[in-house]
Amino acid sequence: MSSECFDGDDALTRYDRWRRSRWEEVAGPDGKASLIAYRTITEPGQEVPEVPGRWTSTGPSGSLTLTATRDQGVSVDGQTVDGTVELMTGAVGLSFPGGRRGTIEELAGAHALAVWDPAAPTLVGLRGIDAWPWDPAWTVEAEYRPADAGRILELTRTTSPVIRDTIPAAGDLVFDLRGERHTLRAFDMGSDVLLITFTDDTSGTDTPSMGRWLILSRPQHTTGTVRIDFNRALLPHHMFSAAFPCPLPLQENHLPLRVEAGERAPVFEEEAAVSTTTGPAV
């Protein structure tokens, strides 16, 4: 068990600091709420309605190219595009007219273009993130049980049409909460980061029906303990921008109790006047 205490003023200070960084992650200049499109590139010369240019992919292990003319105002890593350029997944800086930017990602075996806009209505109108008050009773230590080699988890993503995907299984987290033993399965997100998507008895009423997330650090050793702090339960990115292809929670990751901790809902401009809990940096 970590020597870091679960309660006390220091823990509350750390939580408040985390809430501020969380707000910046969602509502900052490059925040999650600025995503306006997430398009898979599956056809030669494909057009993306939100930005100029034509896109061609030869598959996830192949190349992705962008074709544009100088007058379309597209640049890659600061260089204006006039012709055809090859793009690398995760390592390209795309700029478009109007301050929009792009990133290249991979989704379910295909190249995907994410388009971000500092003037996105979801970003401009976001006023806060409603959350339950911090409570140290919602922090537990869990036993980490690594998955067998090659084990994968099948999931469904919030796309239209629906995409079914697989992600390497990291392992299971076993813990006691409210007098009962529970198990949650974690995805392997790389860089020693674990993602848990879960639902509980608040899902669909006080919190989104598509559940919430926990993002945790993988133990340094094969086995060990992981701290789960439900006060840091996150709303999926999809709640801030419908363009995100977020994974829906695994059926087995349902907790049969009300987890009245963590984030509850985004607060947008039209709702701000009736919100009673959080301000913009909380």
Side-chain angles (χ1 to χ4, degrees):
M1 178 180 294
S2 168
S3 59
E4 188 177 359
C5 295
F6 288 172
D7 52 12
D9 293 341
D10 190 44
L12 180 56
T13 298
R14 287 193 300 274
Y15 171 75
D16 289 340
R17 188 184 307 120
W18 173 81
R19 290 291 288 163
R20 290 191 293 271
S21 68
R22 169 66 174 160
W23 176 251
E24 184 67 18
E25 175 194 9
V26 172
D30 295 324
K32 303 297 185 186
S34 67
L35 185 72
I36 61 169
Y38 197 97
R39 308 285 187 181
T40 52
I41 309 301
T42 57
E43 302 173 4
Q46 182 174 333
E47 294 185 344
V48 173
E50 292 78 11
V51 293
R54 292 181 178 273
W55 312 79
T56 298
S57 171
T58 59
S61 59
S63 64
L64 175 68
T65 60
L66 162 65
T67 301
T69 57
R70 179 174 293 275
D71 63 343
Q72 288 180 302
V74 181
S75 65
V76 177
D77 293 333
Q79 300 296 315
T80 301
V81 177
D82 189 14
T84 298
V85 295
E86 185 172 347
L87 308 174
M88 299 296 293
T89 301
V92 63
L94 284 162
S95 297
F96 305 102
R100 292 183 175 181
R101 65 181 181 88
T103 54
I104 304 301
E105 302 177 16
E106 184 180 331
L107 177 66
H111 285 114
L113 170 66
V115 181
W116 311 80
D117 187 347
T122 46
L123 178 63
V124 174
L126 187 62
R127 294 293 177 266
I129 304 174
D130 190 18
W132 273 283
W134 176 77
D135 183 350
W138 288 105
T139 304
V140 298
E141 289 283 347
E143 178 190 355
Y144 177 63
R145 299 176 179 174
D148 295 335
R151 177 179 152 194
I152 61 173
L153 297 174
E154 297 183 355
L155 55 87
T156 301
R157 292 188 180 273
T158 54
T159 55
S160 181
V162 166
I163 290 177
R164 289 181 171 79
D165 197 3
T166 58
I167 290 183
D172 297 336
L173 294 164
V174 182
F175 57 94
D176 294 323
L177 182 64
R178 295 297 193 262
E180 298 289 339
R181 176 63 55 97
H182 303 281
T183 300
L184 292 173
R185 292 187 172 180
F187 298 122
D188 187 346
M189 299 303 291
S191 302
D192 295 325
V193 175
L194 306 177
L195 171 64
I196 294 173
T197 59
F198 75 97
T199 55
D200 65 270
D201 288 350
T202 71
S203 301
T205 54
D206 300 83
T207 61
S209 58
M210 66 176 298
R212 291 181 288 167
W213 294 358
L214 293 165
I215 298 177
L216 310 171
S217 296
R218 186 197 306 270
Q220 296 182 354
H221 304 288
T222 304
T223 59
T225 59
V226 175
R227 173 174 299 178
I228 299 179
D229 185 355
F230 286 99
N231 292 291
R232 302 193 184 196
L234 304 175
L235 295 172
H237 300 335
H238 191 82
M239 298 304 298
F240 300 101
S241 168
F244 275 105
C246 291
L248 295 174
L250 300 171
Q251 184 175 358
E252 54 266 49
N253 273 12
H254 178 75
L255 297 174
L257 72 159
R258 288 180 58 84
V259 179
E260 296 182 347
E263 296 180 348
R264 299 175 61 175
V267 178
F268 291 102
E269 189 168 20
E270 63 272 16
E271 302 168 310
V274 297
S275 176
T276 59
T277 50
T278 63
V282 176

